[in-house]
Amino acid sequence: MNKPTTQTPAFLITIKGLVQGVGFRPFVYRLATRMGYHGWVENRTDGVIILLQENGVLVDRFLEALKNEVPAASDIGSVSVEPVSCEPMHSFEIAKSKETKTGITEICPDIAVCEDCLMDMKSQPHRIGYSLINCTHCGPRFSIIQNLPYDRPNTTMAPFEMCEVCKAEYDNISDRRFHAQPVACNHCGPVYLIFQDEKMLQTTAINDIVSETASRLTKGQIVALKGTGGYHLICDGLNDSAVLSLRNRKKRDGKPLAVMFRNLSVLKRFAYIGETEKNLLQSWQRPVVLLRSKNNLLAAINSGLNTIGAILPYMPMHYLLFQELETHAIVFTSGNISEEPVVIDDLLAKKHLVEVTNTFITYNREIYNRVDDSVVKVISGKPILIRRSRGFVPKPVKLNFDTEGILAVGAEFKNTFCIGKGKQAILSQHIGDLKNMETHGFFTESIERFKRLFRFEPTMIAADLHPDYLSTQYASATGFPMVKVQHHHAHIASCMAEHNLDEPVIGLSFDGTGLGEDGKIWGSEVMIADLTGYSRLAQMEYIPLPGGDKAVDEPWRIVLSLLQKVFGENCHAYAEQLFPEIPTQRRLQIIEALQKNINCPLSSGLGRLFDAVATLCGLCMNPTFEAEGPMRLEAVADKRNKASYTVTISEGIWQLEPLVQELMKDIENKKDIGLVSAKLHNAVAGFAIQSVIAATKESGIKKVALSGGSFQNKILAEKIIKSLEKKNFTTFMHAQAPPNDGGISLGQLAVAAKRRRISCV
């Protein structure tokens, strides 16, 4: 007869959030051991489970220490505690990972190399100079993961069998590399290789590769360097001819280039750095941070703008390179041509980037998930993501409503998609412009990978109203029930979702382009919005765009549109004076098209007004990259000047005639362009503030959500936020998703989820 098993009281703790791939289980082990608990901790695909055998120490003390001492890269989403009973245990153990059928835990983004590993690279015999060193606190994560649970066989580290030394560290519960899935060393791990054209140079010694790379950079050459989530093109950032050569070969005429600096002290010589910016630069995410530059930066870097995209080293190889380099800064731009996705495949790198360089520094570990560098800007003292990718993806946005089964496919430009899992929205990495064939392939491939990785089966799809967007066409072709969400409503819903707002707000949705429900192009929208719908309260007066999209590439067309609208036949004389370099016949054709309304779609896009004023100021006649005109206007604005062009709003329409008349007088009188820009910024802010005040009188709402690409403009955003908060409004800006079209998919998801919930009631 079997003896009855003795049971002892215990606690079963379930933790969800970013708790895998960040050294969480070893942390729990050390904490439980320190507090005298027996039991176990295990990874499951849906979270981390802890069993603590009751020992007289209050479980609340354990939970408090758990939250206070958690590893830096982890993020506890929820903790539940259930009293249970178990057989007596005599130690605390780390149990083997378990897989559940449907539940998933958060997947860790890629983490910059930690200080401890940099020290190990100088001291551990088997890792001296090991250029792919990592531990549970740092290294590749999302870029190498192929499936869950996050164990080595499910990553691109699977082909590399650990040596005895690494295996001992991996199995040692007290070692910093305990269950660090990419753990490796000089004896067993992936290695760097150097190629010239198709030929590999006969060395795998890292010292030789670093020395040769540094030598080539010092000579002004361009090098393709494989990074965490894709290739980068690098050159000496303080060598004017090298930078210009990179621009020409990459076909990147004017767009600013990111720069990696040796360290923070060096960066301070070239840019102004606030405390928030300093923290971002040194964070484990290591994004590119947009800073106000000083005057000692090469003009070829930022094309005369007053900002610089700065980044600090985040891979071991970066640190090794700077030990050999004479220069303190290297251009650090995505390894692609024009608007194609960043290259991740070694063979494709040699094929696609050969026009830029014949030197390729690679390593023999596969990048599975492509991730560009993330870009962040500080506005009103808070970080705003401009591009959300490495270091931030695939961290979910936590919501207070169910999103399961919804796929939101985003917009056409700066595309991201978003999947719904429970009460989470999981945004993809930055995809790019879907009109590019390679980018569209990246889009469809990534959707399939997210479906597999996150055990996601779509049952509903959300898309933009625009029928010509390739994302919308993809959605239509799936055959799933589809929810179409107006572009600017999606912007506001995205901001609301981040802040868990499920109530009507006043929305300011300012950008350049988005199809409106009236078939016209919107982009200066003041609305009352919730997650189900919106009402449009105010907008800028529509401007005809002669030639449609051609007017974005040739913004002098928009200037002629404004002149013809305000001055009628007299616009001929203005046009001849302003644009003598444009053939007379061409100018007359555009004016005739405006008069006869031939191919002149109407736009209320705020970006188009900025384009026109930048052209009038002589700042941007032929843009070489998106939003160049608005960026140049922001760069020259006299921020201290409070003068403004007249803002006349009639029945919710901002009438542009007074502004254009005053603007043309300033241009004729050759007023300083810093003043002109300041007056435009102040006028746009005035339109926003007057419209919000009118909206709150009508609705009583005092919460304002700001979204859209125009709110990447620091001057404009801060003017509006400061003025509204002085008037006791509560403002909300993006923090987890970009305000530009990179955040559209989150808004689409939120709207689709809310409408589904209401339809099911």
Side-chain angles (χ1 to χ4, degrees), residues 4-77:
T5 302
T6 304
Q7 296 285 301
T8 185
F11 303 97
L12 192 67
I13 303 171
T14 302
I15 303 176
K16 295 183 181 295
L18 181 47
V19 289
Q20 290 188 19
V22 291
F24 198 83
R25 287 180 300 165
F27 156 69
V28 170
Y29 170 84
R30 289 190 293 270
L31 179 61
T33 303
R34 187 181 84 203
M35 300 182 79
Y37 278 109
H38 295 164
W40 46 257
V41 57
E42 72 178 20
N43 269 350
R44 294 185 183 175
T45 48
D46 58 347
V48 167
I49 309 297
I50 305 169
L51 180 74
L52 295 180
Q53 184 176 297
E54 205 280 324
N55 68 347
V57 177
L58 293 176
V59 71
D60 289 347
R61 284 183 54 198
F62 176 85
L63 295 176
E64 183 179 0
L66 185 84
K67 292 178 179 179
N68 291 339
E69 302 174 27
V70 69
S74 61
D75 182 16
I76 295 176

Side-chain angles (χ1 to χ4, degrees), residues 174-200:
S174 61
D175 195 280
R176 202 176 79 253
R177 292 185 173 85
F178 176 77
H179 280 221
Q181 304 309 330
V183 67
C185 73
N186 284 312
H187 306 309
C188 64
V191 296
Y192 273 87
L193 307 166
I194 182 169
F195 287 82
Q196 181 164 326
D197 299 316
E198 295 293 323
K199 182 180 179 182
M200 186 179 81

Side-chain angles (χ1 to χ4, degrees), residues 489-607:
H489 180 214
H491 270 307
I492 299 304
S494 176
C495 185
M496 293 175 67
E498 284 193 41
H499 295 282
N500 282 313
L501 296 171
D502 192 5
E503 61 191 274
V505 301
I506 299 171
L508 298 178
S509 191
F510 292 174
D511 62 8
T513 299
L515 181 66
E517 302 220 18
D518 58 3
K520 297 169 185 173
I521 303 167
W522 291 7
S524 56
E525 313 315 307
V526 183
M527 56 178 67
I528 300 290
D530 59 21
L531 294 180
T532 59
Y534 66 95
S535 59
R536 192 184 188 203
L537 300 184
Q539 64 171 93
M540 185 181 77
E541 176 180 8
Y542 284 121
I543 303 171
L545 299 182
D549 289 344
K550 191 70 175 174
V552 179
D553 299 325
E554 298 179 352
W556 58 267
R557 293 170 179 252
I558 309 172
V559 175
L560 292 189
S561 177
L562 289 169
L563 294 176
Q564 199 276 332
K565 187 180 189 72
V566 174
F567 300 108
E569 291 296 329
N570 292 332
C571 73
H572 291 277
Y574 278 111
E576 187 174 6
Q577 182 182 357
L578 289 167
F579 308 121
E581 69 277 18
I582 297 172
T584 301
Q585 187 60 32
R586 195 173 180 206
R587 295 197 306 263
L588 292 174
Q589 286 174 346
I590 298 301
I591 292 172
E592 183 180 8
L594 286 162
Q595 291 169 338
K596 295 181 179 180
N597 192 26
I598 300 172
N599 190 22
C600 290
L602 296 176
S603 168
S604 65
L606 192 62

